[in-house]
Amino acid sequence: QVQLVESGGGLVQAGGSLRLSCAASGRTFSSYTMGWFRQAPGKEREFVAAISWSGGYTYYADSVKGRFTISRDNAKNTVYLQMNNLKPEDTANYYCAAAKSITVWGNRRDYDYWGQGTQVTVPS
């Protein structure tokens, strides 16, 4: 069992930056692929970024590539999402997720555990 708690969301002006954190419980954190997803009001939850258990592989949605960076610190049981050059269309609730195994990086059905989310708002 893995419990995930996100933090770091908030309101930021367009062009600004935020860093989200996701703290995980459990001694097996380092064996999980970790991902970030987001969901805007009235829209489906969509994939943002993912990182392999070792941190050696990362994958991004086209909409955030070059602006967002996912990283992890297995010693701290924490995964991060650095978000730069934020845009109004990035406004959403951001969720951290953990997967024991992945078939497709962005397939949310592969993810076994989810956090409660943290809100990011970028006014237009």
Side-chain angles (χ1 to χ4, degrees):
Q1 188 79 7
V2 176
Q3 292 184 324
L4 304 171
V5 179
E6 302 95 335
S7 61
L11 187 149
V12 61
Q13 297 302 312
S17 298
L18 280 176
R19 188 174 84 153
L20 305 183
S21 298
C22 173
S25 66
R27 292 175 289 181
T28 58
F29 171 78
S30 60
S31 65
Y32 286 84
T33 293
M34 299 299 297
W36 286 97
F37 291 75
R38 65 187 182 186
Q39 188 167 17
K43 295 188 176 181
E44 289 194 357
R45 192 169 298 188
E46 66 174 4
F47 171 76
V48 175
I51 188 166
S52 63
W53 65 272
S54 66
Y57 296 94
T58 56
Y59 187 71
Y60 297 93
D62 288 343
S63 59
V64 306
K65 204 172 292 183
R67 300 188 298 122
F68 290 12
T69 302
I70 188 171
S71 61
R72 67 190 297 164
D73 185 338
N74 287 341
K76 296 182 178 180
N77 278 15
T78 303
V79 62
Y80 305 97
L81 186 68
Q82 177 66 44
M83 305 186 295
N84 297 329
N85 190 21
L86 282 159
K87 305 176 180 181
E89 51 264 42
D90 295 317
T91 294
N93 205 8
Y94 283 71
Y95 297 88
C96 172
K100 296 176 185 176
S101 62
I102 289 288
T103 56
V104 176
W105 283 101
N107 183 5
R108 64 185 186 210
R109 291 178 178 82
D110 285 343
Y111 290 81
D112 305 288
Y113 304 102
W114 294 82
Q116 294 299 307
T118 185
Q119 179 68 35
V120 172
T121 303
V122 187
S124 56

